[in-house]
Amino acid sequence: MKDTIEIRWHGRGGQGAKTAALLLADVAFNKGLYVQGFPEYGPERMGAPITAYNRLSHKEIRAHSNIYNPDYVVVVDETLLHTVDVTKGLSEQGGILINTDKPKEEIVSLLKGYKGNVYVLDARRISIEALGRYFPNSPMLAGIVKITGIMDKDEFLSQMEASYQHKFAKKPEVIKGNMQALEIAFTEVE
């Protein structure tokens, strides 16, 4: 991992992009990194486009602004590819992860000439298979951790299990499904 990694998340209200960014900050902090995880607030409502951000670093983070030139972008809802410039400012040395069931070759044409790495993950199928409902944030979180190399799979899964046990203390029945979604996504990201 380079000294600082900046990630921008694009999703819709209710899909968990903000939660995924905060969970990523939590597990990276527990690994000993300096972190920021925050949403960009506006007139959010269920289904409206939202943006969240992460900064992860081996050194103290002094920037306190949105991320305009991210190393990586996570697109939790592929319909945003038609309405939001998700590649704006995106480093071609990083990459973009898109939740889609379409082949990567079909998605590339929607990325306004972006020449960096493009990764796809069918978070809908994974979350329905593992959780019985559509919650794309856990699979997308696992996908971006694998792509960035922030931590290895076993360390990530261990940290996430502890985080889920805290987050879902009153709903422990959802932990197993979320863990399964993370494991599947970590393996299937292309």
Side-chain angles (χ1 to χ4, degrees):
M1 179 178 129
K2 68 181 203 170
D3 275 347
T4 301
I5 292 178
E6 295 184 322
I7 302 169
R8 186 174 64 216
W9 296 76
H10 292 279
R12 293 192 181 276
Q15 292 179 324
K18 174 184 140 184
T19 299
L22 296 177
L23 284 168
L24 178 56
D26 187 43
V27 298
F29 177 79
N30 289 338
K31 178 184 169 49
L33 296 175
Y34 292 93
V35 301
Q36 290 179 349
F38 56 97
E40 179 178 353
Y41 283 106
E44 281 84 7
R45 61 195 178 286
M46 188 69 76
I50 67 108
T51 309
Y53 304 93
N54 284 111
R55 279 192 183 92
L56 312 166
S57 183
H58 291 288
K59 56 187 179 187
E60 189 174 345
I61 300 170
R62 298 206 179 263
H64 296 283
S65 64
N66 289 348
I67 295 171
Y68 301 103
N69 300 103
D71 300 295
Y72 296 92
V73 165
V74 180
V75 181
V76 180
D77 187 319
E78 76 174 288
T79 64
L80 293 171
L81 297 176
H82 303 286
T83 58
V84 176
D85 185 0
V86 297
T87 60
K88 184 175 183 177
L90 177 58
S91 169
E92 292 190 353
Q93 282 69 54
I96 184 168
L97 171 62
I98 302 164
N99 173 15
T100 184
D101 62 353
K102 295 177 178 67
K104 180 172 29 177
E105 298 74 30
E106 191 175 325
I107 293 297
V108 169
S109 65
L110 301 173
L111 300 180
K112 301 185 186 231
Y114 178 68
K115 303 229 183 307
N117 294 313
V118 177
Y119 304 89
V120 294
L121 182 66
D122 190 351
R124 175 180 294 278
R125 181 190 52 76
I126 292 168
S127 65
I128 290 172
E129 178 182 313
L131 297 162
R133 294 179 59 193
Y134 181 46
F135 293 109
N137 59 339
S138 285
M140 297 305 285
L141 174 57
I144 196 64
V145 168
K146 180 177 182 182
I147 291 165
T148 59
I150 293 166
M151 62 182 72
D152 69 38
K153 180 181 178 182
D154 292 336
E155 181 180 20
F156 170 66
L157 292 175
S158 174
Q159 289 287 332
M160 285 305 299
E161 186 167 24
S163 183
Y164 283 154
Q165 286 172 349
H166 175 71
K167 180 174 176 51
F168 299 122
K170 295 185 179 182
K171 296 190 280 183
E173 66 277 3
V174 302
I175 296 171
K176 182 179 177 186
N178 274 287
M179 292 304 299
Q180 183 182 3
L182 293 172
E183 288 192 53
I184 294 168
F186 211 97
T187 304
E188 290 189 9
V189 69
E190 299 178 18

